[in-house]
Amino acid sequence: METIVIIVFLAGYLAITLEHNLKIDKLIPALAMMAILWAIIALTHMDVFEVNAELKQLEPTHLEEILLHHLGKTAEILVFLLGAMTIVEIIDYFDGFATIKSYIKTRSKRKLLWIFSILAFILSAIIDNLTATIVLITILQKVIRDRETRLWFAGLIIINANAGGAWSPIGDVTTTMLWIAGKVEAGSLVTRVLVPSIVCMVVPTIIASRFKAFSGLVDIEETVGGSKSKYGPTMLYLGLGAIVFVPFFKTITHLPPYVGMMLSLALVATFAEIYSNAKFNISSAIDDDHHESAHHSPVHSALTKIELPSILFFLGILLAVAALESLGLLFNYAESLNQAIPQTDIVVMLLGIGSAVIDNVPLVAASIGMFSEPGDNPLWHFIAYSAGTGGSMLIIGSAAGVVAMGMEKIDFFWYLKKIAWLAFVGFVAGALVFIAMRDFIF
């Protein structure tokens, strides 16, 4: 039966990878794969196990217990992401991200490249790489009219957003997964991965800045502007600050990160309602015919815009990987892999390269079940870096790449030819820096 389980898993994976060819949203095969895998386990009464990290061995358990355990761990991640996504949408409700446009004063393409690269690196560490990419490409479309030039900028934004998300516990779904699972601590993750991530960002940007595509000037006179709402800047800084507060809350209280995220959401939502009501009252005073029903809650509006398909995809893929972990397949595979390739660094780098072909979320979920090293081991920091930045090598290898592909209609082969090698050079450069720092500094 294990062979059938693996076939179902691989078939589901293939459907996810070929999402654009099949024209079927990846959440559908992810959910179907998850349900079928657990149904096979239940109907055939297959033995399930949990991994004892201390003894590095499998221990038998009951199906209901292990399923509830994995559901709980998955729910922690999903609730955290829901909170973060809602805060970001509340900021957008007040047009807060338009404030970022005020930083764009230059007409030089090369300087614009560095501005967008640095913004992508910093923003992705705070509001996650997916959202940072959406925000920056939206601004990019208003700053640069020439599509060919925009494609080059978008390619570098993808690389730099993924690099920025790798060193922050809230910057990428994979690092959030490792953080919530207790595999990395926020402080040590930043300390060990920040410099390699900077190298991964700087090296491709330096190389690209020499290209003809980034020479010359652009006309940005009509594109620079502030927020349409007077509360936009306030909500931007409040929202970003609330998200950054979450790791500190976890450190102080030792509670799961989603608890802090819910507190941050409550705080941001409170101010959003206050500002929205103030705006509504002013409008009502001006227009006596203004009805109460015309007032829309910014929180309700934000909740209608969050990426629920992404949440359902994570639910399906994480519980599907959990099924393989519960059968002991990942544990046994890790043992075989370690015997075949004794050098763990090579294994982790291959995992990073693999994340460009296969979504990095299931790969990291699998690695959590494969490796039994204790929390905050350098292995987990290297996995966070590799999975976070390796996906940049293909346009479909990361959430940032996929959303950029949709927004700018970037051709898969154009990206493969023009951008992939830059991402690979940055990935390898950062990986070598990480290994050097681990071996000679920490």
Side-chain angles (χ1 to χ4, degrees):
M1 291 307 298
E2 288 185 354
T3 303
I4 296 177
V5 167
I6 294 174
I7 291 174
V8 170
F9 187 78
L10 292 177
Y13 245 102
L14 184 62
I16 291 170
T17 306
L18 299 176
E19 173 190 16
H20 298 287
N21 303 85
L22 298 175
K23 294 181 172 55
I24 297 176
D25 195 292
K26 61 184 178 182
L27 78 89
I28 297 173
L31 291 174
M33 173 175 60
M34 176 270 291
I36 293 171
L37 287 176
W38 283 104
I40 292 173
I41 294 173
L43 293 173
T44 59
H45 304 288
M46 299 177 73
D47 294 328
V48 290
F49 308 88
E50 61 179 344
V51 179
N52 188 319
E54 294 181 1
L55 300 177
K56 294 188 177 181
Q57 66 182 26
L58 297 174
E59 296 181 349
T61 185
H62 298 290
L63 177 61
E64 292 80 5
E65 292 179 4
I66 196 67
L67 182 55
L68 187 60
H69 167 77
H70 287 301
L71 177 61
K73 291 298 180 183
T74 301
E76 286 188 13
I77 297 171
L78 300 187
V79 172
F80 179 92
L81 292 175
L82 280 170
M85 288 178 175
T86 306
I87 290 176
V88 169
E89 290 298 338
I90 290 174
I91 296 173
D92 190 54
Y93 178 89
F94 289 92
D95 201 26
F97 291 113
T99 306
I100 298 173
K101 295 179 192 175
S102 61
Y103 294 113
I104 302 175
K105 303 291 185 182
T106 182
R107 296 178 58 208
S108 167
K109 290 182 182 179
R110 187 167 287 114
K111 289 181 179 179
L112 279 174
L113 170 64
W114 281 102
I115 290 173
F116 275 101
S117 296
I118 293 171
L119 282 174
F121 188 82
I122 295 174
L123 276 179
S124 63
I126 302 173
I127 60 175
D128 79 61
N129 49 12
L130 172 63
T131 308
T133 302
I134 294 172
V135 170
L136 291 178
I137 289 185
T138 300
I139 296 174
L140 185 68
Q141 290 172 340
K142 298 176 182 178
V143 172
I144 299 176
R145 296 188 180 94
D146 181 59
R147 183 174 179 274
E148 183 67 22
T149 303
R150 264 202 330 267
L151 293 182
W152 279 99
F153 274 89
L156 271 295
I157 286 174
I158 293 168
I159 294 175
N160 297 322
N162 286 334
W167 62 271
S168 166
I170 54 179
D172 185 89
V173 175
T174 52
T175 51
T176 300
M177 288 166 55
L178 291 167
W179 182 45
I180 291 177
K183 300 301 183 182
V184 297
E185 292 295 330
S188 58
L189 178 68
V190 174
T191 303
R192 293 174 183 269
V193 184
L194 175 58
V195 174
S197 296
I198 291 175
V199 172
C200 182
M201 181 269 286
V202 169
V203 171
T205 306
I206 289 177
I207 296 173
S209 66
R210 306 296 177 186
F211 294 172
K212 186 178 179 180
F214 297 106
S215 62
L217 304 175
V218 293
D219 180 13
I220 62 170
E221 289 182 9
E222 300 178 8
T223 63
V224 178
S227 171
K228 296 177 182 177
S229 169
K230 68 176 182 178
Y231 300 114
T234 303
M235 291 306 299
L236 173 67
Y237 301 131
L238 176 64
L240 298 185
I243 295 175
V244 172
F245 164 75
V246 175
F248 295 98
F249 181 85
K250 178 183 183 296
T251 302
I252 296 169
T253 64
H254 302 290
L255 289 170
Y258 71 87
V259 180
M261 185 58 75
M262 291 299 102
L263 176 60
S264 293
L265 174 57
L267 177 66
V268 173
T270 299
F271 279 91
E273 292 291 343
I274 292 172
Y275 292 149
S276 180
N277 288 334
K279 181 179 178 181
F280 169 71
N281 290 334
I282 293 173
S283 300
S284 297
I286 295 174
D287 184 5
D288 293 334
D289 295 328
H290 193 80
H291 296 290
E292 186 74 20
S293 59
H295 173 58
H296 298 286
S297 165
V299 179
H300 292 176
S301 176
L303 287 170
T304 62
K305 294 181 179 179
I306 57 176
E307 284 287 328
L308 273 181
S310 296
I311 296 295
L312 289 174
F313 168 72
F314 295 143
L315 172 67
I317 201 67
L318 292 176
L319 285 181
V321 172
L324 298 188
E325 180 183 341
S326 300
L327 293 174
L329 296 178
L330 296 182
F331 182 84
N332 294 331
Y333 176 71
E335 293 294 316
S336 303
L337 194 61
N338 288 332
Q339 291 177 5
I341 309 176
Q343 178 54 262
T344 308
D345 289 340
I346 297 177
V347 175
V348 176
M349 290 185 71
L350 289 175
L351 184 148
I353 294 172
S355 69
V357 181
I358 304 171
D359 196 278
N360 57 3
V361 171
L363 282 180
V364 171
S367 71
I368 292 175
M370 284 168 55
F371 300 104
S372 53
E373 272 72 8
D376 231 27
N377 186 284
L379 168 72
W380 299 114
H381 300 123
F382 199 18
I383 288 175
Y385 169 81
S386 294
T389 61
S392 302
M393 284 180 255
L394 289 180
I395 188 72
I396 61 170
S398 66
V402 171
V403 73
M405 186 181 191
M407 292 180 72
E408 279 293 347
K409 303 297 185 288
I410 302 174
D411 181 73
F412 176 89
F413 294 102
W414 181 93
Y415 188 94
L416 182 64
K417 180 181 178 181
K418 305 287 188 179
I419 306 295
W421 70 274
L422 287 172
F424 178 75
V425 169
F427 169 76
V428 173
L432 293 176
V433 170
F434 178 91
I435 294 171
M437 289 176 60
R438 181 198 62 195
D439 294 343
F440 299 108
I441 299 178
F442 297 105

